[in-house]
Amino acid sequence: MHHPHPHNLGATRSSLKSDHLLQTPDTFIRTPLNGAMGVDFIVHVAPRLGAEFTQMTAEFVPGGTLAPASAQRFLYVLEGELSLEAKGVSHTLAPGGFAYLPEGTPHTIQATTKARAALIEKPYELSAESVEPQIIVGNEADVTAAPLMGDESLRVRSLMPDSPAYDFAVNTMTYDPGAALGMVEIHVMEHGLLILEGGGIYRLGDSWYPVEAGDFIWMAPYCPQWFGALGKQPAKYLIYKDWRRHPLGE
Ligand code: UGY
Ligand code: MN
């Protein structure tokens, strides 16, 4: 990234509060991680901040590879092309392409071009109804959109199957200009959220933020949240939440 304003007098839209983080691209710091080669990581959220998962953006040079995962891994391609090999099958992931790898699945992920991907990792939470999670590979373009609570101007695509085997969900949500969440949500699940297109106003706790494509948001459990889309193009974000597990554990 170029820096037209070398310091911007210390101003940024980024904000860290006890129940949320808004992280805008001007505040991103890149880091290498052992085991990966030719990849820079922006670690957006991690257990250090209080989250029960990690979300990063991985920026690959052509040929760059990820290290094996210590937890479940979910990958969504933002730019370029990745090649995934798992269980002797190889898959090509283009933008909008995604993959889920259950904990302990041997696999390799290598960039065939310069590429960027959202990377979510979470230790698997067993439940009494323990059904083996399966490898999932798909493209967002092939996922049917469902209106949120009957609102056709706000469409949700669920990238993970809603089954007892899986302990988190990853969805995209697309808002037509002017569309908004019908309520302020306050819920036990936490969120990792990456804005992919457009922008609007995000309410987090008692703060209202202008947000746009490229911004990352973490919401702690119970963080009051609301979004309204502004501008002339739809707003779209990728959103993670923990899902389907009793708050007291098994
Ligand atoms: O699924 C959700 O909880 C979602 N509606 N939350 C959000 O968009 N902030
Ligand atoms: Mn929510």
Side-chain angles (χ1 to χ4, degrees):
M1 199 192 138
H2 297 282
H3 298 275
H5 314 290
H7 48 63
N8 215 15
L9 293 171
T12 179
R13 287 184 297 110
S14 283
S15 175
L16 175 61
K17 303 218 170 152
S18 61
D19 63 353
H20 64 269
L21 167 68
L22 167 62
Q23 193 184 36
T24 61
D26 56 302
T27 56
F28 290 173
I29 293 291
R30 283 145 179 96
T31 176
L33 290 176
N34 282 351
M37 280 182 354
V39 187
D40 276 338
F41 296 89
I42 302 155
V43 181
H44 297 296
V45 72
R48 241 174 219 192
L49 193 55
E52 291 186 342
F53 69 107
T54 290
Q55 184 162 348
M56 312 186 195
T57 297
E59 298 178 330
F60 298 78
V61 298
T65 59
L66 293 184
S70 64
Q72 304 175 93
R73 175 176 267 173
F74 182 93
L75 196 86
Y76 176 94
V77 179
L78 301 164
E79 183 193 321
E81 199 178 271
L82 298 181
S83 155
L84 161 69
E85 222 169 297
K87 295 213 160 150
V89 184
S90 74
H91 308 268
T92 300
L93 302 176
F98 61 87
Y100 164 78
L101 298 142
E103 202 164 85
T105 308
H107 66 277
T108 59
I109 291 163
Q110 181 160 43
T112 47
T113 66
K114 181 175 178 281
R116 284 190 312 124
L119 185 62
I120 292 163
E121 293 173 342
K122 177 185 191 289
Y124 185 58
E125 217 182 305
L126 272 174
S127 82
E129 277 180 82
S130 68
V131 194
E132 284 262 305
Q134 302 299 313
I135 295 175
I136 295 154
V137 178
N139 194 293
E140 189 200 346
D142 303 324
V143 178
T144 309
L148 185 71
M149 296 185 195
D151 183 352
E152 297 283 348
S153 69
L154 205 181
R155 297 169 298 278
V156 182
R157 287 182 175 85
S158 303
L159 308 185
M160 294 284 291
D162 189 11
S163 132
Y166 306 97
D167 66 358
F168 68 87
V170 182
N171 304 329
T172 63
M173 294 180 63
T174 305
Y175 295 71
D176 286 342
L181 283 178
M183 58 186 283
V184 177
E185 296 178 7
I186 302 182
H187 52 64
V188 66
M189 302 84 81
E190 60 178 335
H191 284 310
L193 186 161
L194 186 66
I195 305 187
L196 303 174
E197 292 170 22
I201 300 292
Y202 231 107
R203 177 187 174 165
L204 300 168
D206 290 331
S207 305
W208 279 255
Y209 300 97
V211 296
E212 63 180 9
D215 293 351
F216 173 82
I217 294 169
W218 170 65
M219 295 171 231
Y222 299 105
C223 177
Q225 57 199 258
W226 174 89
F227 178 69
L230 289 176
K232 307 231 181 226
Q233 66 168 112
K236 179 168 125 178
Y237 54 72
L238 182 77
I239 182 168
Y240 158 96
K241 63 181 160 188
D242 51 298
W243 194 234
R244 273 190 174 274
R245 290 296 182 270
H246 193 288
L248 297 178
E250 216 169 320

